[in-house]
Amino acid sequence: MTRRYAVVLGLVALLLSLPGYAADTVHLAVDPSKPGARIDRNLFGQFAENLGQGLYEGIWVGPDSPIPNTRGIRNDVVAALRELKVPNVRWPGGCFADQYHWRKGIGPRDKRPATVNSAWGDVIDTNAFGTDEFMDFIQQIGSTPYVSVNVGSGTPQEAAEWLEYMTAAAPTALARERAANGHPEPYRVGFLGIGNESWDCGGAMSPEYYVSLMKVYSRFVLNMNPAQREHEQMLKIAVGPGTPSTQWTEAVMQAWKQHTWSWNINGLSLHWYTVPKGWPPSTDSVKFGLDDYASSLKATLFMDEFLRKQEAVMDTYDPEKKVTLTVDEWGAWHAPLAGTNPAFLVQQNSMRDAVLAALNLNIFARHAARVRMANIAQMVNVLQAMILTDKEKMVLTPTYYIFKMYVPFQDATSLPVTLDAGTYSRGNVKLPRVDAIAARDAAGRLLLSLTNLDAESPVVIDADLAGVTAKSATAQTLAAAAVNSVNTFAAPATVVPRATAVTVHGGKLNITLAPASVTVVAIEP
Ligand code: AHR
């Protein structure tokens, strides 16, 4: 334990012993008798775009690199990601997807053409990390591919052939080509993204124009893997909104309502970043104080309203919630870190970002009946990353630890929580003091995630578990000396989860939450 952290905890204990601090207790109640929607594990998906050092350096170093690797993919990054049980990875973009031509990224690497990544900084792309390398990475981390096909500058034929290359089992020419490239077995493709932000970088299309293309891609871009015909069928995700306007959602859902045997979509994507001061992103990812912390959290909580608006439209066309709302880009977007290429979207990742991640995951869990998939942007070295690398060095960010702490929530059943959250005021910004979700996992454990948004005071949680008796209870807390505390290559364990004292007795749970912290409690019945 660092000295600063020990001092903070000491102060917390001292404050709590003072008379008057009882007022800082937040009461909440969990009702295990009313199970809600499943918190789909795909809500904890990731996004790995060909952008900056996200793929190259962050994941791919090449087989000849002195950095320990397996077939060119960094071992340290793979080991860290395996801990997160990443359910799906979206690739190759983002804006990059609509200018990617997959054929340039297959076959012997020394014969692949160099191209320009004009989506992100006009850097030269060797195409060394292509389809087979991505699939190898997916297999190494134990995940599922979510492939975005090129609608903006590609054709349905190009996309259909890509899917055939990846998934055909029959001895078609493309299946043979894949086998010649070392992969006789067809790959499983879990999710297909039909374009990306087609209203903007994906081709500045009108909703009507996109909907026409979406039907064609849905009809002809097929998964041919025999193992995915009946079970684990590939889900097709259409482009959805990136602003609170519901026009795009209306157009896609109206078309979906009238879909025939010949085409279908299973999901509608939604992109929403937390850009606290608006575009272009200007908040510093390291040098900031409590005012910026509070306004960032305020901005992130808008996700809830955004989802509600889109869900209301989806409900009118699809009350049975067959089409999932897929938040396949979300997270904090700060100013580029000083000294980095601004097109590489490099930012540090602080305790603030960890709290922000927990709040978004909690929102998704509360919307789990409709929101069954999400992808944080992005996985390594880009935006709100899990992992930062510098040559042979690697550091895990506070956001990484939130995803790790939330692993037990994957596929757990949500349980209703009622609480009087109180208010944390900072200047004009007013936030709920506490945020909480609860769930029951497959092993019958009761899970609680408790976030104290208040960066200036601890809070005591007094939770009524409706008679749940506990054999044992454990808690892990992510807290830090300051909201802008970060992990660096020199000090990688500044913000890491630590065990926290929790008591469960007579159906009541008691725990003290440190300022600006996230705690996950697991109760064994
Ligand atoms: O994640 C970075 C970019 O943000 C993506 O490429 C694009 O889809 C979005 O605008």
Side-chain angles (χ1 to χ4, degrees):
M1 188 184 301
T2 63
R3 237 181 113 213
R4 262 180 110 184
Y5 190 73
V7 170
V8 171
L9 287 187
L11 280 173
V12 169
L14 178 70
L15 280 172
L16 291 172
S17 66
L18 298 175
Y21 264 84
D24 283 338
T25 298
V26 165
H27 299 276
L28 67 84
V30 181
D31 190 349
S33 71
K34 295 202 178 75
R38 187 166 62 105
I39 301 172
D40 198 307
R41 68 182 201 283
N42 284 307
L43 287 172
F44 302 89
Q46 305 267 339
F47 176 29
E49 180 165 12
N50 185 2
L51 190 176
Q53 297 180 329
L55 301 181
Y56 295 103
E57 299 212 26
I59 292 171
W60 176 260
V61 287
D64 301 329
S65 169
I67 298 171
N69 68 84
T70 301
R71 295 179 293 278
I73 295 166
R74 301 179 69 123
N75 293 345
D76 53 356
V77 168
V78 166
L81 291 171
R82 284 186 72 84
E83 297 279 306
L84 299 187
K85 301 198 187 310
V86 179
N88 70 81
V89 183
R90 181 169 180 252
W91 172 84
C95 295
F96 179 78
D98 281 299
Q99 51 197 64
Y100 184 55
H101 299 287
W102 67 275
R103 274 210 156 275
K104 300 188 173 163
I106 59 163
R109 279 188 289 275
D110 58 356
K111 302 233 164 26
R112 295 185 195 173
T115 50
V116 174
N117 185 339
S118 52
W120 300 109
D122 289 339
V123 294
I124 298 299
D125 183 356
T126 62
N127 282 291
F129 190 87
T131 304
D132 295 304
E133 289 76 17
F134 172 65
M135 292 297 183
D136 190 7
F137 169 62
I138 287 290
Q139 182 263 322
Q140 288 191 36
I141 66 167
S143 192
T144 303
Y146 173 11
V147 176
S148 308
V149 294
N150 181 342
V151 172
S153 67
T155 62
Q157 181 184 0
E158 183 190 14
E161 288 177 358
W162 193 13
L163 263 286
E164 185 179 336
Y165 175 83
M166 290 189 275
T167 63
T172 67
L174 283 166
R176 278 210 301 271
E177 193 173 355
R178 187 191 64 237
N181 289 334
H183 306 275
E185 285 302 308
Y187 297 118
R188 283 174 190 257
V189 176
F191 307 94
L192 180 84
I194 305 177
N196 171 76
E197 298 192 354
S198 305
W199 28 266
D200 188 25
C201 70
M205 301 173 191
S206 67
E208 295 71 30
Y209 184 72
Y210 173 75
V211 163
S212 299
L213 284 177
M214 170 190 85
K215 292 179 186 172
V216 175
Y217 275 74
S218 167
R219 169 74 184 96
F220 296 112
V221 183
L222 305 175
N223 186 319
M224 298 182 178
N225 189 328
Q228 292 191 266
R229 286 277 154 80
E230 303 273 315
H231 306 288
E232 294 182 52
Q233 286 180 348
M234 181 177 77
L235 303 185
K236 299 181 178 181
I237 317 284
V239 165
T243 68
S245 157
T246 53
Q247 194 197 3
W248 195 278
T249 303
E250 282 276 358
V252 174
M253 292 306 294
Q254 205 172 55
W256 175 80
K257 181 80 181 162
Q258 288 154 20
H259 80 89
T260 63
W261 68 269
S262 69
W263 73 275
N264 196 3
I265 55 157
N266 314 93
L268 176 77
S269 127
L270 179 153
H271 290 181
W272 183 252
Y273 286 95
T274 301
V275 192
K277 293 185 177 162
W279 298 97
S282 59
T283 39
D284 199 292
S285 56
V286 184
K287 291 185 210 126
F288 65 90
L290 291 180
D291 291 341
D292 270 343
Y293 163 83
S295 53
S296 300
L297 298 192
K298 184 80 190 169
T300 223
L301 290 174
F302 179 71
M303 178 67 89
D304 183 62
E305 192 183 323
F306 193 177
L307 295 180
R308 274 176 208 287
K309 270 197 161 166
Q310 307 303 326
E311 283 169 341
V313 174
M314 294 178 83
D315 285 349
T316 61
Y317 295 101
D318 173 28
E320 290 170 292
K321 303 194 194 312
K322 289 184 178 162
V323 180
T324 168
L325 186 53
T326 299
V327 188
D328 55 13
E329 289 188 28
W330 68 273
W333 194 322
H334 301 300
L337 209 57
T340 63
N341 182 338
F344 285 9
L345 312 185
V346 182
Q347 60 192 46
Q348 242 300 1
N349 194 298
S350 64
M351 189 63 221
R352 165 182 63 179
D353 298 309
V355 173
L356 188 151
L359 294 177
N360 279 279
L361 293 173
N362 293 356
I363 291 170
F364 301 153
R366 285 192 281 268
H367 288 260
R370 175 70 78 181
V371 181
R372 301 192 287 272
M373 188 162 166
N375 300 75
I376 189 168
Q378 296 196 4
M379 199 174 216
V380 189
N381 290 334
V382 177
L383 298 175
Q384 190 173 350
M386 305 295 112
I387 296 174
L388 302 176
T389 65
D390 179 16
K391 300 185 186 74
E392 77 291 353
K393 289 178 277 188
M394 177 189 86
V395 67
L396 307 177
T397 66
T399 300
Y400 172 92
Y401 289 113
I402 293 296
F403 273 72
K404 188 162 178 202
M405 288 161 63
Y406 272 65
V407 165
F409 284 95
Q410 293 194 14
D411 283 340
T413 304
S414 58
L415 299 173
V417 176
T418 46
L419 80 162
D420 182 2
T423 305
Y424 169 49
S425 301
R426 181 80 205 171
N428 295 330
V429 178
K430 294 207 183 322
L431 296 166
R433 253 185 105 199
V434 172
D435 192 49
I437 58 164
R440 173 92 69 193
D441 72 5
R445 292 186 312 166
L446 184 63
L447 307 169
L448 267 174
S449 176
L450 304 162
T451 301
N452 180 9
L453 286 77
D454 187 333
E456 294 164 80
S457 307
V459 64
V460 177
I461 297 289
D462 174 29
D464 183 347
L465 307 178
V468 167
T469 50
K471 225 189 282 163
S472 64
T474 53
Q476 288 268 305
T477 293
L478 195 69
V483 288
N484 66 342
S485 296
V486 297
N487 292 333
T488 63
F489 299 112
T494 306
V495 189
V496 293
R498 296 166 207 274
T500 309
V502 56
T503 59
V504 183
H505 189 67
K508 295 261 185 197
L509 174 143
N510 274 89
I511 192 165
T512 300
L513 307 179
S517 68
V518 181
T519 298
V520 171
V521 186
I523 301 162
E524 298 279 349

